[in-house]
Amino acid sequence: MANPTPLKPTGASRLRQLLKDPNHTVVAPGVYDGLTARIALAHDFECLYMTGAGTNMSKLGTADLGIATMNDMVQHASMIASLDPSVPVIADADTGYGGPIMVARTVRAYALAGLAGLHIEDQVQEKRCGHLSGKQVVPREVYYSRLRAAVKARDECGSEMLIIARTDARADSGFDEAVERLKGAVECGVDALFLEALQSREEAERAVKIFQGTPMLLNMVPGGKTPQMGVREAKECGFRIYINPTLSLETVVRPLERAMKLLKEEGRDECEPIGPNALFRICGLDDAVAFDQSVGGVAFGGQK
């Protein structure tokens, strides 16, 4: 009998390994569906980020106004995480979708779905994108009850998934209030911190310095509240995780709009031809055919 193939490390354990190196910044491109995740995996990114804004837009066709439910998010995240379970996927978990009992349910669902990390924020339930104006946050103790519930639920189900505490308080309550909230989050036992909508590089450097010893995540949204920084600049500031949620969306929307306009107004296609085989290969065609043949399947033997 052949020896079984050793199991690959889970995404969560791999993410924890990556964060052990204090000089390494984990780069997680934002993906919003299976195709964008496949393209990121083909380019050997060590981690992926499932954007909540992208999930709202791609799955529901809505703006990021807290419309996606826990079930929407878990279903989407599970699909992305399943494409390569050894590659960590960090996912948006918004407010946890309710009080402490609901937050615990959310965390268990994300853990069972194979997520390596999730972030929970302090916005009210009627939340919105972190880079829109008019955000409101809950009192500190409500926020902390969410975080304690997340940590407790994660530990009770035996998962290694990271709990990342996000605060949106910077926008309307100021930098100092956001820092105080994250200090309390550390006491709740979270694994990493996410100060949303930092408004200068100086603020970014100050935040990292204040929380030395706890990994900080930088959210880079072109056109958002935070000045544009690339991976090199984020690493210089000391950030340990770098996400850019709208990368895939930004690179797709305008070219697609132009192609649709041209088809409608001039009746012709204008795109770089790829063809179905190349598209399917991005999404695992060769691996699927090889697996089929390895167990005696014949249905796809003539596939080119």
Side-chain angles (χ1 to χ4, degrees):
M1 181 177 178
N3 292 327
T5 302
L7 292 174
K8 293 181 180 180
T10 64
S13 64
R14 177 62 181 148
L15 182 55
R16 288 185 178 276
Q17 276 184 336
L18 291 169
L19 289 173
K20 285 181 180 178
D21 181 353
N23 298 312
H24 183 66
T25 298
V26 175
V27 178
V31 298
Y32 61 83
D33 64 3
L35 179 58
T36 54
R38 284 284 194 178
I39 292 171
L41 290 170
H43 284 80
D44 295 323
F45 279 96
E46 62 189 3
C47 185
L48 306 181
Y49 175 72
M50 190 200 82
T51 155
T55 298
N56 274 275
M57 286 186 272
S58 67
K59 186 176 176 64
L60 303 177
T62 65
D64 185 13
L65 298 173
I67 296 169
T69 65
M70 184 204 79
N71 290 336
D72 292 323
M73 297 290 281
V74 171
Q75 183 184 50
H76 217 50
S78 176
M79 176 272 294
I80 291 170
S82 72
L83 297 177
D84 187 339
S86 67
V87 175
V89 176
I90 299 171
D92 191 347
D94 296 313
T95 63
Y97 311 105
I101 296 171
M102 187 62 195
V103 170
R105 179 172 181 253
T106 296
V107 167
R108 288 190 289 267
Y110 274 60
L112 289 171
L115 276 297
L118 60 77
H119 57 78
I120 291 180
E121 67 201 42
D122 56 356
Q123 285 199 56
V124 297
Q125 296 298 336
E126 296 83 3
K127 61 148 292 176
R128 63 189 67 192
C129 169
H131 289 260
L132 292 178
S133 300
K135 294 184 295 181
Q136 299 179 54
V137 295
V138 296
R140 289 188 196 180
E141 279 309 313
V142 175
Y143 177 43
Y144 297 153
S145 70
R146 292 176 184 174
L147 298 178
R148 287 191 291 265
V151 171
K152 183 177 176 64
R154 186 273 314 275
D155 292 346
E156 287 182 348
C157 69
S159 170
E160 293 185 275
M161 183 174 66
L162 271 73
I163 305 298
I164 303 168
R166 165 176 155 172
T167 180
D168 286 74
R170 170 64 187 91
D172 290 332
S173 303
F175 179 81
D176 291 341
E177 173 63 16
V179 165
E180 290 305 312
R181 285 176 174 245
L182 290 185
K183 286 180 179 178
V186 172
E187 295 177 2
C188 292
V190 302
D191 302 289
L193 302 172
F194 177 174
L195 202 165
E196 176 67 307
L198 289 157
Q199 296 186 14
S200 68
R201 175 160 175 161
E202 179 189 12
E203 281 192 358
E205 291 174 342
R206 283 175 61 198
V208 171
K209 186 175 181 180
I210 289 168
F211 294 104
Q212 284 183 358
T214 303
M216 291 282 292
L217 178 152
L218 178 64
N219 184 28
M220 187 47 52
V221 178
K225 303 290 186 183
T226 303
Q228 191 67 30
M229 284 191 279
V231 175
R232 180 177 59 81
E233 292 85 357
K235 187 172 182 178
E236 288 172 354
C237 290
F239 287 97
R240 303 296 312 287
I241 304 172
Y242 176 96
I243 64 172
N244 45 4
T246 60
L247 174 68
S248 299
L249 291 158
E250 295 268 3
T251 53
V252 166
V253 170
R254 293 306 184 205
L256 183 57
E257 282 183 338
R258 286 193 293 271
M260 292 291 187
K261 186 174 187 291
L262 190 65
L263 181 62
K264 177 66 176 178
E265 295 181 356
E266 301 184 24
R268 60 190 180 91
D269 301 332
E270 186 177 284
C271 64
E272 181 180 349
I274 299 174
N277 269 327
L279 288 169
F280 296 154
R281 283 194 163 93
I282 292 171
C283 290
L285 173 65
D286 293 336
D287 289 341
V289 170
F291 180 85
D292 183 73
Q293 292 175 345
S294 75
V295 295
V298 296
F300 302 105
Q303 183 65 47
K304 298 293 186 183

